[in-house]
Amino acid sequence: MSEITPIHVRHGSSIGQPLTRRDGMLKVTGSAEYAADHHPPGMLHAVMAVSSIARGRVASMNLAAAKAHPSVVEVMTPANAPKLARHPDVAGEPFVYRLDLLQDDRVRYANQPIAVVIAETLEAAVEGAALLEPAYETEPARVELGDAEAFEPQTVGPGFPARLGTGDVAAGLDAATHRIEAVYETSAQYHNAMEPHAVVAAWDGDTLHLDTPSQGVAIAQMRIAGLFGIAPENIHIRTPFLGGGFGSKGTVWSPQVLGIMAARLVGRPVKLVTRREQMYGPVGHRAPTRQTLRLGAGADGALTVLDHHTLTASSTFDDFFEPSGSPSHTLYATPALSTTYEAVRLDTGTPFFMRAPGEASGSIALESAIDEMAEACGMDPLAFRLKNYAEVEPLSGKPFSSKALRECYAQGAARFGWASRPRAPRQMRDAAGRLIGWGMGSALFPALMFQAEARAELRADGSGSVEIGAIDMGQGSWTALAQIAADSLGIDIAQVTFRMGSSGLPNGGIAGGSAHTATAGVAIHNAGARVIAALADLATSDEQSLLFGAGNAGVIAREGRLLRRDDESRGESYASILARAGRQSIEARAESAADPVSNEHYAMYSHGAVFCEAVVDPDLGQVRVSRLVGAFAAGRVINPRLVESQYLGGMIWGVSFALHECAVLDPRSGRVMNANFGEYHVPVNADVPALEAILVAEEDPHVNPLGIKGVGEIGITGTAGAVANAVWHATGVRVRRFPITPDKVMGE
Ligand code: MOS
């Protein structure tokens, strides 16, 4: 990365502008094409039949009835499913998870695919699936945290150690004047993107054309290539728009592969769209947790210990463990710190990365516990956090951007009016007699970066193009990355042809971990810088150029011209440099990756603080969030309009986590009882009336050459705890089982 320093490039003409979405018009007019909008000639419709039991085997299905349907073409079952090159239970590599691809009659969770009906019309495929009427041999389902024996997982999340800590927990508890021990429970949650997982698959010999939403095209190619025994480059994926991903589209799940298998079986293109209720099982979810926090503080309110134990669940057949302890590693300074895990195996689909995996579920528990600790110490929750926030990352000792966090606390508190908060609960009411409470939470998310590659080109007419297989799942990559592309070439954004969202382009890495703008953006920045460097070489070595000999002083690229850094009146247009050199274009490719040296020396995080006002009906226990203010510092802001939108989206998810989202599993059947948008509650406009996100300025020279940190997931952290703490401040009732529903507020 040090090879391409930004010295040749000037930023500022596109980066930082609040541009509206370049794909906005396509989306609001319905002309943006999502995967399921494609209908290649001869296409058939496939519908999955899914299991209504959670554990056992399929004893029989009425294949004859389904096949007798006049528009049903084929029914795919374990008896006739195409042979795979690799068994779908062979996993073990990063992002390779075990799949259910009709290899046998076993049922490992409710809504597991058990057959696929392929028909001329969607209606016929739906009807054919209903006609199968499967019979089962049923075994008792285990779907609750108490239903199976707990064990200690080897790693959690994407490979974090299951045991981390420093200092002596027992000594920390002994040394404490004030102690709390509390158990917090979070529910199973499902991603519920507006666009369900879908695929339109067309085989052409051993070449495969796919329209399918993906947060990481190269990962999808690798997985599919392995299953079908074909070369990854023979798999052409188009994924220009995603109707949400939230992690669940970070890998390829069974429904997409079944669509591909169906296309191979019938020798025609096939479309398979996961039905809403089928999203509750085979495509990942956030596992439930039971978290025990033990905190101690001295008489002065300084933490002496933080002990965070998480019990969570994975499926019976694969490993993903929600890493809820993560926030406790980073936010607060304490001489004794411990995070540990246990897990059980349940008859559910495999859990997966879901927006702020670990950070969200862990943050609501940690921020609630911090609030309880502040109260035990008789301190204001903000004063307590200011006393205890970590100046250096507690486990590594690396310096933190603690100045940014302090700034978030200060700006958020001032805007909210926190200073006039009475310390005791149940002190404020509105005109209707409803209780009002104010709560806060600290927000934090790691500033990650993955690997990507981009290609940039300048043409003789002064226009440019930039290509990268990047992903827009709603966050605004089409716009933000094009802004970076324009500045990387030093031309107007209208002069740039920007391509992304398909597999034929340079690998854009994964859109996840709130790292996509940094990852793809730095690759673009580097590719553009290389083009400009080559152009500068042409000009500065050409005696006929005004830039001749400027090589050592350096040049600036701006508005389609190169200028001498030491004398900006001397310059030349790109078009003229290229024309004299007889070049039609200059192109370059470049990569991005996290800088190991910086990462060794600095702790890299986005920071924030969230303040919430909740209104609680004392007779009904109904909770309303009436006001929410978040202040976030996340390095350089590429597009303030999009960044604010990301913060607000995260904060809404935080409200959702605290008050709404909950998958209810029936312990008898093992099925999710509210597998629909009617009963799986997410906030609507009326649930989030007054939201405000403050963009706190921060320059972090260490994270990457563009100074970009993530803004996608941090809004959930902090917010969920702030809501819970506001409910306590309103009512004096500490609800520790989330979501906070009226029954719990009224004292379950
Ligand atoms: Mo996300 S859970 O980083 O897509």
Side-chain angles (χ1 to χ4, degrees):
M1 211 155 58
S2 55
E3 182 203 344
I4 315 161
T5 59
I7 84 156
H8 285 305
V9 182
R10 180 193 162 95
H11 294 288
S13 46
S14 280
I15 288 177
Q17 302 288 333
L19 301 188
T20 54
R21 287 166 192 264
R22 285 155 61 88
D23 52 345
M25 196 59 84
L26 287 178
K27 285 183 174 168
V28 298
T29 56
S31 22
E33 290 199 322
Y34 291 81
D37 292 330
H38 292 276
H39 303 86
M43 187 191 81
L44 297 173
H45 295 263
V47 165
M48 295 188 297
V50 297
S51 163
S52 60
I53 66 164
R55 183 182 172 206
R57 57 177 287 271
V58 179
S60 66
M61 284 187 279
N62 195 344
L63 284 177
K67 284 186 170 172
H69 190 292
S71 293
V72 167
V73 173
E74 186 57 277
V75 180
M76 188 166 73
T77 68
N80 64 346
K83 282 267 166 297
L84 296 169
R86 180 181 185 175
H87 194 280
D89 268 353
V90 177
E93 300 155 28
F95 286 94
V96 173
Y97 288 80
R98 293 179 172 86
L99 301 177
D100 293 283
L101 303 177
L102 305 176
Q103 301 299 298
D104 53 46
D105 60 10
R106 270 180 314 158
V107 172
R108 341 196 244 199
Y109 55 92
N111 279 345
Q112 178 196 306
I114 54 172
V116 175
V117 178
I118 306 150
E120 297 287 349
T121 66
L122 175 62
E123 292 76 7
V126 170
E127 197 178 348
L131 290 168
L132 286 172
E133 294 192 337
Y136 301 96
E137 282 173 17
T138 309
E139 294 171 56
R142 301 152 299 187
V143 292
E144 293 177 347
L145 287 175
D147 286 352
E149 200 182 326
F151 63 97
E152 182 178 4
Q154 284 189 334
T155 62
V156 298
F160 303 145
R163 243 170 218 276
L164 274 177
T166 182
D168 184 337
V169 168
L173 286 168
D174 279 349
T177 311
H178 309 284
R179 291 176 202 91
I180 64 139
E181 173 168 352
V183 178
Y184 304 90
E185 293 181 34
T186 64
S187 309
Q189 302 175 345
Y190 284 76
H191 301 78
N192 270 309
M194 281 294 283
E195 178 203 28
H197 291 64
V199 69
V200 176
W203 286 95
D204 177 6
D206 267 353
T207 298
L208 179 59
H209 296 273
L210 299 177
D211 290 288
T212 191
S214 168
Q215 290 175 240
V217 175
I219 290 170
Q221 280 177 307
M222 286 297 294
R223 181 58 164 137
I224 297 164
L227 287 167
F228 291 94
I230 59 177
E233 57 271 20
N234 282 3
I235 302 167
H236 302 284
I237 302 178
R238 292 189 296 189
T239 186
F241 306 109
L242 279 72
F246 315 130
S248 79
K249 290 169 183 163
T251 190
V252 171
W253 293 110
S254 303
Q256 289 144 299
V257 182
L258 288 168
I260 299 167
M261 291 166 69
R264 176 154 266 190
L265 182 66
V266 297
R268 286 168 68 177
V270 163
K271 168 152 65 178
L272 188 152
V273 180
T274 310
R275 297 161 62 90
R276 177 59 56 188
E277 70 274 17
Q278 296 174 343
M279 298 284 284
Y280 292 75
V283 294
H285 66 284
R286 195 196 304 276
T289 73
R290 182 179 298 147
Q291 302 173 54
T292 306
L293 278 102
R294 293 190 298 165
L295 277 66
D300 60 350
L303 283 173
T304 58
V305 60
L306 168 51
D307 178 26
H308 190 160
H309 178 72
T310 302
L311 172 66
T312 185
S314 191
S315 66
T316 56
F317 56 94
D318 213 342
D319 291 344
F320 184 89
F321 303 101
E322 173 81 0
S324 303
S326 296
S328 288
H329 295 150
T330 45
L331 270 165
Y332 300 105
T334 168
L337 171 63
S338 166
T339 59
T340 51
Y341 290 86
E342 278 177 298
V344 297
R345 294 204 177 275
L346 302 181
D347 300 308
T348 65
T350 303
F352 201 55
F353 298 94
M354 178 164 159
R355 217 149 179 228
E359 278 84 8
S361 53
S363 167
I364 195 169
L366 174 63
E367 290 302 307
S368 294
I370 287 288
D371 217 66
E372 297 197 39
M373 194 71 245
E375 184 55 23
C377 294
M379 288 174 73
D380 170 80
L382 175 58
F384 185 79
R385 284 175 175 82
L386 283 170
K387 181 161 189 78
N388 284 293
Y389 76 84
E391 294 268 7
V392 298
E393 194 178 36
L395 289 176
S396 69
K398 294 183 214 172
F400 229 1
S401 348
S402 48
K403 199 168 137 242
L405 178 58
R406 260 200 316 270
E407 198 53 37
C408 295
Y409 283 138
Q411 291 193 26
R415 179 76 197 172
F416 185 84
W418 182 263
S420 63
R421 175 185 181 273
R423 221 199 73 222
R426 296 184 70 92
Q427 300 299 303
M428 300 190 288
R429 288 187 188 251
D430 68 7
R434 294 179 306 175
L435 294 160
I436 296 175
W438 290 359
M440 68 165 296
S442 302
L444 190 98
F445 200 82
L448 305 172
M449 237 184 110
F450 308 118
Q451 293 184 333
E453 191 190 11
R455 180 184 161 279
E457 182 182 15
L458 264 183
R459 290 183 289 257
D461 63 358
S463 67
S465 67
V466 171
E467 295 180 339
I468 183 164
I471 299 300
D472 197 327
M473 51 183 161
Q475 78 272 48
S477 310
W478 273 110
T479 311
L481 295 179
Q483 289 176 262
I484 295 170
D487 279 12
S488 80
L489 291 172
I491 57 180
D492 191 273
I493 194 165
Q495 294 276 93
V496 181
T497 308
F498 180 61
R499 288 193 202 89
M500 56 172 251
S502 70
S503 60
L505 306 172
N507 179 2
I510 186 167
S514 298
H516 201 42
T517 311
T519 303
V522 170
I524 291 167
H525 168 81
N526 288 346
R530 259 194 194 157
V531 168
I532 295 298
L535 189 71
D537 283 348
L538 284 180
T540 57
S541 58
D542 179 350
E543 288 181 23
Q544 289 180 296
S545 173
L546 280 173
L547 294 161
F548 178 66
N552 291 334
V555 295
I556 296 169
R558 187 163 69 211
E559 292 168 5
R561 296 173 66 79
L562 290 187
L563 315 169
R564 276 186 79 115
R565 187 178 285 278
D566 56 355
D567 178 2
E568 293 194 17
S569 71
R570 295 173 67 189
E572 191 175 12
S573 74
Y574 299 170
S576 126
I577 298 167
L578 287 169
R580 224 181 22 260
R583 297 282 293 268
Q584 285 307 304
S585 68
I586 295 183
E587 72 158 276
R589 297 169 82 101
E591 296 179 353
S592 66
D595 178 359
V597 178
S598 290
N599 275 281
E600 201 185 310
H601 291 102
Y602 299 97
M604 297 178 183
Y605 292 86
S606 297
H607 297 270
V610 183
F611 299 83
C612 173
E613 178 179 273
V615 180
V616 183
D617 186 316
D619 301 318
L620 302 176
Q622 187 191 48
V623 178
R624 287 288 194 196
V625 168
S626 49
R627 207 152 59 85
L628 205 50
V629 175
F632 302 97
R636 185 197 294 259
V637 169
I638 299 299
N639 180 323
R641 185 192 300 266
L642 296 174
V643 166
E644 181 189 26
S645 175
Q646 285 293 289
Y647 289 147
L648 297 181
M651 289 163 69
I652 292 167
W653 199 308
V655 173
S656 193
F657 199 117
L659 300 181
H660 300 282
E661 280 187 67
C662 177
V664 184
L665 279 94
D666 184 337
R668 296 159 302 179
S669 68
R671 295 170 63 175
V672 178
M673 291 191 283
N674 55 341
N676 56 70
F677 266 153
E679 295 162 296
Y680 184 93
H681 292 165
V682 295
V684 296
N685 289 9
D687 294 307
V688 284
L691 285 177
E692 192 176 349
I694 300 168
L695 278 57
V696 175
E698 182 193 20
E699 270 184 45
D700 187 325
H702 307 299
V703 277
N704 52 57
L706 287 170
I708 299 173
K709 299 182 181 180
V711 297
E713 291 161 280
I714 186 170
I716 309 170
T717 74
T719 303
V723 174
N725 295 335
V727 170
W728 170 79
H729 190 240
T731 62
V733 178
R734 193 64 81 171
V735 177
R736 301 189 185 88
R737 276 203 305 133
F738 304 105
I740 301 171
T741 45
D743 51 320
K744 297 171 193 161
V745 175
M746 298 306 284
E748 13 195 345

